[in-house]
Amino acid sequence: MLRTSAKVNLALEVLGKRDDGYHEIATVMQAVDLCDRLTVETADTLSLVVSNPALPTDDGNLIVRAAARLGEAAGATKGARITLDKHIPVAAGLGGGSSDAAATLWALNRLWGLRWSRARLAGLAVRLGMDVPFFLGTGRALATGRGEQLEPLPGAGAYALVLVNPNVPLSTGEVYGRVPAGWTAEARSTRRMVEALRTRSARTVAGALANNLESIVEPMVPAIRHMKSALLAAGALGAVMSGSGPTVFGVARSYDHARQIRSRVNRAGWSCWAVRTVSGRVIRAV
Ligand code: ATP
């Protein structure tokens, strides 16, 4: 069985729209130990069983797409029986589908005996989604370009976070579609976060949290502001939205502190988790 981590964006800046229709971004991605569980077993044909009935089990699921793409590219004719135990909220800005897709590529590479390198898997991963290659790597990276150009940021401390999700799904495409024409920004906050991580101080990292999509998402989902205020009132050192939202997260002084904050912000209608950042390989066999 594999544990497939969610991610948060410690800093995220949309820098502008590219001619190819994508947005140029700069972000610091961080894996956290809120995980889905994926089991991949030998079978003649490809099948997927998912614990969350709201998710598709056909080509609409990134797991099936990842398996099909890898099978085509490698000329593999074998199948697999894949079971997904879903814990990461869907359409939440936590990259759950991308993480599942990366774990699928990693597991099938082994199951089918393909012996593809991580770099070769990453080349296929990016065609499934810009966030997918991150999950094949280590727990923290600076991502630029469309989000697919990764520079690992190793050894910059471990942090405890509190995630809060309002149980309202939000489409990444819809949020990016609302970025106004002519939007430009510089990657200052992202560079500041890279510097802050070097100090290994939770307080400094909390002071450098940034996401310039918040101004677009807050009017759509008023809960964002309420969740951030609740985290700060409960003692978080800083709070920000992850990715294109609507999940927000706060930085705590320690894991115990994160659990205290979680119990204080636990409101009806919101889901909360105290988590730790993941360092080392994101995909882990258990
Ligand atoms: P990101 O942070 O990368 O934008 P997200 O966390 O906002 O991602 P996901 O949970 O990855 O969003 O999924 C968004 C959409 O992808 C949903 O509409 C969902 O139906 C579809 N999807 C396909 N496969 C999966 C999967 N394995 N897990 C979750 N969602 C999936």
Side-chain angles (χ1 to χ4, degrees), residues 12-172:
L12 170 64
E13 288 167 295
V14 174
L15 306 178
K17 196 161 182 177
R18 301 158 49 121
D19 293 339
D20 63 8
Y22 284 93
H23 287 88
E24 187 80 15
I25 67 166
T27 181
V28 175
M29 297 175 78
Q30 171 66 64
V32 297
D33 64 1
L34 169 64
C35 299
D36 290 341
R37 292 179 183 82
L38 195 75
T39 312
V40 178
E41 297 161 298
T42 311
D44 293 335
T45 55
L46 186 69
S47 64
L48 173 65
V49 176
V50 182
S51 63
N52 177 343
L55 281 178
T57 52
D58 59 6
D59 203 35
N61 198 302
L62 272 173
I63 292 175
V64 174
R65 253 182 274 161
R69 288 275 176 91
L70 183 64
E72 278 160 31
T77 52
K78 296 174 197 161
R81 185 183 309 111
I82 306 177
T83 311
L84 173 67
D85 185 9
K86 193 81 193 161
H87 295 272
I88 304 170
V90 175
L94 296 173
S98 303
S99 184
D100 297 341
T104 303
L105 295 178
W106 189 88
L108 291 179
N109 185 37
R110 289 185 126 197
L111 189 79
W112 293 343
L114 304 178
R115 294 174 174 271
W116 277 30
S117 66
R118 219 169 265 275
R120 194 170 173 200
L121 284 178
L124 195 143
V126 74
R127 287 161 42 204
L128 294 160
M130 294 305 152
D131 284 354
V132 183
F134 166 74
F135 293 98
L136 291 168
T138 47
R140 183 181 297 131
L142 169 66
T144 52
R146 290 166 298 172
E148 85 291 12
Q149 290 170 24
L150 297 172
E151 190 184 312
L153 298 171
Y159 304 92
L161 310 177
V162 184
L163 313 186
V164 189
N165 177 273
N167 289 306
V168 181
L170 191 58
S171 144
T172 304

Side-chain angles (χ1 to χ4, degrees), residues 252-266:
R253 288 191 305 270
S254 65
Y255 187 59
D256 277 348
H257 185 217
R259 294 200 318 191
Q260 275 174 23
I261 295 171
R262 182 197 54 196
S263 60
R264 290 186 195 135
V265 293
N266 223 339

Side-chain angles (χ1 to χ4, degrees), residues 171-248:
S171 144
T172 304
E174 189 184 342
V175 172
Y176 276 89
R178 288 185 185 225
V179 174
W183 170 291
T184 56
E186 290 189 34
R188 279 199 203 103
S189 301
T190 303
R191 283 198 291 270
R192 187 166 162 233
M193 177 54 74
V194 172
E195 292 303 318
L197 286 163
R198 291 202 179 111
T199 68
R200 297 173 172 245
S201 149
R203 194 169 289 281
T204 308
V205 168
L209 296 171
N211 185 337
N212 72 1
L213 284 177
E214 276 183 346
S215 63
I216 290 169
V217 180
E218 276 186 10
M220 299 164 72
V221 186
I224 305 272
R225 225 163 20 88
H226 302 145
M227 294 185 298
K228 280 172 60 180
S229 307
L231 279 165
L232 295 174
L237 304 175
V240 77
M241 185 177 83
S242 178
S244 55
T247 304
V248 304

